[in-house]
């Protein structure tokens, strides 16, 4: 037995003769509200509540948007921690690898993987993949910025 309702499925035997109702989402908290109601109804063999049916078409877009926001928050936290770790190392030279070169800037990650920052001076001859020594010239632990030359 498998029932699909706008991307939600009820799967057959989950072992021991039980049925399993399953909902997955990249950003679970929003989907859990509707997923729990949907799975409860499907598992009980009752009608899916109207408010759940009405919400299902909007859930993928809402989950994608909240997932993007969650990723941005995660990235900002990592940037802040990386900048904090390097605060006391301004003026030191680190082995790094260039990770990105575009009109918006040139970026490099320390070889030990502990931080990534922007190369703000001396970046013109750099290309992605190059391993180079970089001097740490600034960190901004409020905004999560790390600047190398």
């Amino acid at each position: 037995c498998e029932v699909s309702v706008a991307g939600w499925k009820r799967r057959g035997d989950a072992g021991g003769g039980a049925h399993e109702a399953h909902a997955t989402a990249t950003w679970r908290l929003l989907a859990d509200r509707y997923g729990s109601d949907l799975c409860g109804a499907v598992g009980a063999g009752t009608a899916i509540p109207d408010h759940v049916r009405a919400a299902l078409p909007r859930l993928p877009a809402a989950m994608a948007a909240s997932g993007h926001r969650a990723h941005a928050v995660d990235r900002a936290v990592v940037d802040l921690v990386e900048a904090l770790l390097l605060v006391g190392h301004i003026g030191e030279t680190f082995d790094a690898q260039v990770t990105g070169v575009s009109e918006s800037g040139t970026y490099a990650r320390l070889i030990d993987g502990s931080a990534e920052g922007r190369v703000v001076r001396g970046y013109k001859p750099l290309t992605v993949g190059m391993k180079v020594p970089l001097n740490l010239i600034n960190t901004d632990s409020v905004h999560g910025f790390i600047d190398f030359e």
Side-chain angles (χ1 to χ4, degrees):
C1 169
E2 182 168 331
V3 177
S4 181
V5 180
W8 300 84
K9 290 184 178 182
R10 177 180 178 183
R11 295 184 180 158
D13 189 357
H19 287 281
E20 169 193 4
H22 180 71
T24 60
T26 55
W27 188 246
R28 295 286 316 180
L29 297 178
L30 178 63
D32 280 348
R33 173 181 172 197
Y34 299 105
S36 294
D37 288 349
L38 178 108
C39 289
V42 171
T46 60
I48 297 168
D50 290 340
H51 75 278
V52 174
R53 281 193 184 276
L56 289 178
R58 296 185 311 270
L59 277 181
M63 289 175 357
S66 64
H68 292 303
R69 286 190 300 274
H71 177 72
V73 169
D74 288 346
R75 183 69 238 167
V77 169
V78 169
D79 290 347
L80 291 172
V81 170
E82 289 177 353
L84 280 168
L85 289 172
L86 291 175
V87 165
H89 298 279
I90 292 175
E92 293 182 26
T93 300
F94 297 88
D95 292 325
Q97 185 168 16
V98 178
T99 57
V101 175
S102 69
E103 289 182 18
S104 64
T106 298
Y107 296 87
R109 174 158 290 287
L110 301 184
I111 294 296
D112 70 6
S114 64
E116 183 171 27
R118 188 171 183 174
V119 183
V120 296
R121 289 195 290 245
Y123 57 86
K124 293 220 187 255
L126 299 179
T127 58
V128 172
M130 288 180 71
K131 292 183 179 177
V132 294
L134 293 175
N135 184 40
L136 178 64
I137 59 172
N138 187 44
T139 63
D140 179 342
S141 58
V142 172
H143 298 100
F145 298 148
I146 298 171
D147 297 333
F148 296 107
E149 65 178 357

